[in-house]
Amino acid sequence: MRYSIPAIALATLLLSGCCVRMAAKVRNETGRDVRLMVVRHSGQTDVVAIKAGSSALVAGVMPHLDWSPDFWVVTDGQARFTFGDVSPIASMPEAFISGSRFTSDFPCRRVTQHVRLASDMTIHAVRVIGYTDKEPPLFPIHYTKKEAE
């Protein structure tokens, strides 16, 4: 059987996972439904609703260099909480990050940062490998601004 070079290249590309999609899995432990708006340094925004006690995937947090950091805005129907800098999520150790190619992003590899939103509206790192009661430095992340809705 004879294969063409483009077919072999395509198969290699698909199996090697040439691309990576960053995502953050946010567990809502606030006790109420929330809306999370992710504002990236590029100006792009994503909004996702997260029911109480459930999780949702949002755009992953990328490290920032000279740009302004990504920030999150969480609303619960009563107040609006702004987290002015969520960049510590981008530098979490491997124990708080998972990766897989076998997701809806296939053939790309999805790298997921795991966090939870606590009832006091703080963002905590969630360990996915092993156990420790310690969080990485700069966690929990506290909101920088609270406004009535």
Side-chain angles (χ1 to χ4, degrees), residues 58-79:
V58 297
V61 178
M62 301 296 289
H64 68 91
L65 303 171
D66 295 331
W67 311 295
S68 60
D70 294 354
F71 68 92
W72 289 2
V73 178
V74 177
T75 57
D76 66 359
Q78 298 173 357

Side-chain angles (χ1 to χ4, degrees), residues 2-71:
R2 187 173 177 180
Y3 296 100
S4 68
I5 292 179
I8 293 171
L10 180 62
T12 303
L13 194 64
L14 290 175
L15 293 175
S16 67
C18 60
C19 56
V20 175
R21 176 174 179 247
M22 296 293 295
K25 186 172 186 178
V26 181
R27 175 125 182 106
N28 177 3
E29 295 182 359
T30 64
R32 50 203 181 273
D33 296 350
V34 298
R35 282 179 11 124
L36 170 62
M37 179 170 54
V38 177
V39 182
R40 301 179 94 35
H41 64 270
S42 64
Q44 175 187 358
T45 61
D46 298 313
V47 179
V48 64
I50 311 173
K51 294 199 176 288
S54 64
S55 300
L57 282 177
V58 297
V61 178
M62 301 296 289
H64 68 91
L65 303 171
D66 295 331
W67 311 295
S68 60
D70 294 354
F71 68 92

Side-chain angles (χ1 to χ4, degrees), residues 95-96 126-134:
F96 299 88
V126 176
R127 194 173 212 26
V128 292
I129 302 170
Y131 173 79
T132 182
D133 53 0
K134 285 186 157 188

Side-chain angles (χ1 to χ4, degrees), residues 17 19-25 56-60 97-114:
C19 56
V20 175
R21 176 174 179 247
M22 296 293 295
K25 186 172 186 178
L57 282 177
V58 297
I97 297 173
S98 64
S100 178
R101 187 174 333 281
F102 302 107
T103 67
S104 60
D105 298 319
F106 185 83
C108 293
R109 176 182 164 92
R110 181 191 297 161
V111 174
T112 308
Q113 303 153 327
H114 296 267

